[in-house]
């Protein structure tokens, strides 16, 4: 397709923006990522206040609560109870094509995550992608002192929880009491953000000793910024017996990331608190959590967003116990088992954000020159026995390939096996049990 001259492109963009809200939404969805950003910048430069208002309305129209359209497939999460890991109708062959296109709209490569050191917890405590909730309802596994609703993106079956902004408003998932060491992961969707978005517009993630709707006498919080006109940074704070000891802002320009469905990862290891946005670690404070403090409640809070114009949504919230350093355990015990290495549903394509564990395995092998490992894959009981056996071997082979091709481990030091569904460690009749059964073992030879 030939590129239009800049003047014609500008005229075409303005025409499309003002035809209708529905048309605008479709137009934005069809634009390539770079073209969309260029168009937004051009409109911001040349169009006055009325255009800015119209742009916000257009972005809002991307959300269509109750939409039943299925123009694009949903983003599956392997930890969801209604997303079978071993669906026999899906391919069992490992998909090793991890290339990303030059426009930046494709999946990130495993190579991008080669230094990503987040290690997810091994024991799932809570997961919610709102698949069992009705659009328009407040999610069944959450509590609040305000309101909110489950919405669906146009052209997708994926559901999101739209939070509400306001003073002293909290959203609390029904996660069990948090242990000493655990991880938190979730995805963010931001809609309607612009150069006019407040510098105070943040999503706060709290770990608190209060299980209701207060900050608590002891808490840790991280504020994720949504401001677009200047980089704000990520603010962190703690309170110990109602006394603030740490309050700082870490330099972080995440303006582009916040508009592109970022994945947030948090690891708490006793007093240590770390936070990643996608593959980049921004926060690593060794003594943010007070020693002996029982911060047993996770809660979210939004601040300074324009009501009805700027929307923040989250999905795929996962809380898991663990997230500890697996390297020492592998060296001392000669065996580790983890369900933190995630794959696309029904395939052996490794999810890039799982690379933290594979990276730790490579570090052990690079240090322990004489160590050889057997990699063993396991699945849950969904699907056929033969299909699961093949899938488990393919997944073990995919992990081996990552160690060889990304971390330069000799293939002679690695062997693979697959057990399918034959050695369960959890109840396959429950979501949690299935998540435990989908695992990879590393055994010293």
């Amino acid at each position: 397709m030939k590129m239009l001259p800049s003047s014609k492109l500008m005229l075409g963009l303005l025409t499309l923006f003002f035809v209708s809200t529905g048309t605008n939404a479709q137009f934005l969805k069809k634009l390539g990522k770079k073209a969309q950003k260029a168009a937004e910048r051009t409109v911001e430069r040349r169009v006055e206040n009325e255009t800015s208002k119209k742009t916000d309305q257009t972005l809002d129209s991307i959300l269509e609560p109750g939409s039943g359209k299925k123009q694009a497939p949903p983003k599956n999460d392997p930890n969801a109870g209604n997303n079978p890991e071993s669906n026999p109708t899906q391919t069992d062959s490992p998909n090793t094509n991890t290339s990303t296109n030059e426009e930046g709209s494709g999946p990130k490569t495993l190579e991008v995550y080669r230094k990503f050191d987040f290690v997810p917890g091994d024991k799932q405590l809570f997961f919610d992608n709102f698949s069992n909730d009705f659009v328009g309802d407040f999610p069944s596994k959450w509590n609040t002192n305000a309101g909110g609703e489950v919405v669906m993106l146009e052209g997708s079956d994926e559901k999101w929880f739209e939070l509400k902004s306001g003073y002293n408003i909290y959203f609390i998932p029904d996660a069990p009491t948090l242990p000493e060491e655990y991880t938190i992961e979730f995805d963010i969707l931001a809609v309607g953000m612009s150069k006019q978005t407040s510098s105070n517009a943040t999503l706060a993630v709290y770990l608190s000793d209060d299980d209701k709707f207060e900050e608590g006498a002891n808490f840790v919080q991280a504020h994720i910024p949504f401001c677009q006109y200047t980089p704000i940074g990520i603010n962190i704070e703690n309170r110990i017996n109602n006394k603030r000891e740490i309050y700082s802002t870490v330099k972080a320009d995440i303006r582009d990331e916040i508009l592109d469905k970022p994945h947030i990862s948090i690891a708490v290891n006793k007093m240590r608190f770390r936070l990643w946005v996608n593959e980049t670690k921004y926060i690593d404070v060794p003594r943010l959590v007070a020693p002996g403090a029982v911060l047993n409640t996770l809660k979210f809070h939004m601040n300074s967003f324009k009501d009805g114009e700027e929307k923040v949504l989250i999905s795929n919230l996962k809380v898991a116990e663990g997230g500890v350093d697996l390297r020492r355990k592998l060296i001392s015990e000669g065996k580790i088992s983890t369900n933190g290495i995630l794959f696309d549903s029904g395939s052996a394509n490794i999810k890039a954000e799982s690379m933290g564990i594979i990276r730790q395995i490579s570090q052990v092998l690079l240090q322990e020159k004489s160590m050889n490992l057997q990699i063993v894959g396991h699945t849950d009981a969904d699907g056929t026995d033969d299909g699961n056996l093949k899938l488990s071997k393919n997944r073990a082979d995919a992990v081996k390939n990552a160690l060889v091709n990304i971390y330069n481990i000799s293939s002679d030091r690695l062997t693979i096996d697959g057990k399918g569904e034959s050695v369960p460690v959890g109840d396959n009749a429950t979501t949690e049990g299935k998540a435990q059964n989908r695992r990879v073992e590393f055994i010293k030879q």
Side-chain angles (χ1 to χ4, degrees):
M1 179 183 294
K2 293 183 178 180
M3 294 295 295
L4 290 172
S6 59
S7 59
K8 292 183 179 180
L9 176 60
M10 181 62 196
L11 178 59
L13 287 172
L14 291 176
T15 302
L16 285 170
F17 263 84
F18 286 100
V19 170
S20 70
T21 298
T23 302
N24 291 334
Q26 293 297 323
F27 170 69
L28 285 175
K29 289 173 70 66
K30 292 179 181 178
L31 278 176
K33 183 177 178 181
K34 285 188 176 180
Q36 179 179 335
K37 289 186 177 180
E40 291 171 347
R41 288 194 297 268
T42 302
V43 171
E44 288 169 356
R45 286 196 306 266
R46 301 190 183 185
V47 184
E48 299 296 331
N49 292 334
E50 290 302 316
T51 305
S52 297
K53 293 179 181 179
K54 188 66 177 180
T55 302
D56 286 344
Q57 294 170 4
T58 299
L59 289 171
D60 288 345
S61 71
I62 296 174
L63 289 177
E64 188 176 291
S67 171
K69 298 180 182 180
K70 299 183 179 180
Q71 299 172 7
K75 176 182 177 183
N76 293 324
D77 187 290
N79 293 314
N82 64 342
N83 280 328
E85 272 291 305
S86 313
N87 188 338
T89 64
Q90 296 177 326
T91 177
D92 290 337
S93 302
N95 180 1
T96 57
N97 180 13
T98 58
S99 62
T100 179
N101 62 46
E102 293 181 357
E103 295 297 322
S105 59
K108 291 186 177 179
T109 66
L110 297 183
E111 180 67 28
V112 169
Y113 280 82
R114 71 185 306 271
K115 295 183 179 180
F116 183 53
D117 57 350
F118 171 74
V119 176
D122 293 323
K123 181 180 178 182
Q124 182 172 296
L125 302 176
F126 179 86
F127 178 80
D128 200 3
N129 64 354
F130 314 108
S131 59
N132 295 321
D133 292 305
F134 290 102
V135 170
D137 283 359
F138 188 85
S140 57
K141 295 194 291 185
W142 290 66
N143 192 19
T144 186
N145 57 344
E149 62 179 338
V150 174
V151 301
M152 187 179 290
L153 296 181
E154 182 182 4
S156 172
D157 288 338
E158 189 176 25
K159 293 179 180 178
W160 294 77
F161 177 25
E162 181 183 341
L163 308 179
K164 299 295 183 184
S165 178
Y167 177 73
N168 203 35
I169 293 176
Y170 294 93
F171 301 89
I172 306 175
D174 293 339
T177 298
L178 299 174
E180 279 193 326
E181 299 189 287
Y182 57 94
T183 59
I184 301 166
E185 299 177 73
F186 57 95
D187 297 321
I188 293 177
L189 178 64
V191 176
M193 306 302 154
S194 69
K195 298 295 185 183
Q196 285 73 47
T197 298
S198 171
S199 59
N200 293 320
T202 60
L203 174 65
V205 184
Y206 277 84
L207 307 174
S208 171
D209 63 356
D210 177 80
D211 62 358
K212 295 296 190 297
F213 308 112
E214 301 291 340
E215 288 184 328
N218 296 279
F219 68 79
V220 167
Q221 63 171 319
H223 286 259
I224 301 169
F226 287 73
C227 177
Q228 291 297 301
Y229 70 84
T230 188
I232 296 300
I234 300 174
N235 175 263
I236 55 173
E237 179 184 1
N238 73 349
R239 294 278 177 87
I240 300 175
N241 296 323
N242 283 314
K243 181 181 179 181
R244 176 193 290 171
E245 291 201 356
I246 294 177
Y247 182 85
S248 58
T249 301
V250 176
K251 184 178 180 180
D253 187 352
I254 60 171
R255 288 176 292 175
D256 288 342
E257 288 84 351
I258 210 68
L259 298 179
D260 196 24
K261 291 186 183 180
H263 184 76
I264 308 299
S265 306
I266 295 171
V268 177
N269 300 103
K270 297 182 179 179
M271 292 186 289
R272 185 181 184 185
F273 180 95
R274 289 171 291 167
L275 182 147
W276 293 257
V277 179
N278 293 332
E279 71 276 8
T280 302
K281 179 168 62 179
Y282 288 101
I283 306 295
D284 191 348
V285 181
R287 294 179 179 86
L288 188 65
V289 180
V294 182
L295 307 184
N296 54 10
T297 300
L298 168 65
K299 58 184 74 174
F300 296 86
H301 169 72
M302 285 175 56
N303 185 55
S304 299
F305 290 92
K306 298 174 185 175
D307 188 33
E309 297 181 26
E310 297 167 341
K311 302 177 185 293
V312 174
L313 308 94
I314 65 174
S315 192
N316 300 315
L317 174 64
K318 177 184 176 183
V319 182
E321 185 174 2
V324 299
D325 191 329
L326 300 175
R327 293 170 293 189
R328 291 181 176 84
K329 184 176 181 180
L330 179 57
I331 292 173
S332 62
E333 299 181 15
K335 177 180 178 179
I336 58 172
S337 177
T338 176
N339 55 20
I341 300 178
L342 306 179
F343 301 85
D344 288 341
S345 182
S347 83
N349 189 40
I350 300 173
K351 288 182 177 291
E353 58 266 28
S354 304
M355 288 300 289
I357 295 175
I358 300 177
R359 178 175 181 262
Q360 286 198 356
I361 300 300
S362 74
Q363 290 171 330
V364 172
L365 291 170
L366 290 172
Q367 175 180 303
E368 305 294 318
K369 302 295 185 182
S370 63
M371 179 185 288
N372 296 327
L373 287 180
Q374 182 183 45
I375 306 169
V376 184
H378 297 265
T379 70
D380 60 31
D382 290 344
T384 66
D385 292 351
D386 290 343
N388 287 334
L389 182 62
K390 181 179 179 182
L391 180 62
S392 65
K393 290 181 178 179
N394 286 341
R395 287 179 169 176
D397 193 46
V399 174
K400 174 183 175 179
N401 289 336
L403 286 166
V404 171
N405 297 326
I406 296 177
Y407 297 106
N408 299 316
I409 303 299
S410 173
S411 62
D412 295 339
R413 301 174 63 187
L414 304 170
T415 59
I416 66 165
D417 194 11
K419 301 295 185 182
E421 61 186 76
S422 64
V423 192
V425 294
D427 185 356
N428 274 306
T430 67
T431 301
E432 293 75 14
K434 288 181 181 180
Q436 293 173 32
N437 291 333
R438 297 190 293 266
R439 66 194 191 279
V440 177
E441 290 179 317
F442 297 90
I443 305 170
K444 181 179 178 180
Q445 298 295 288

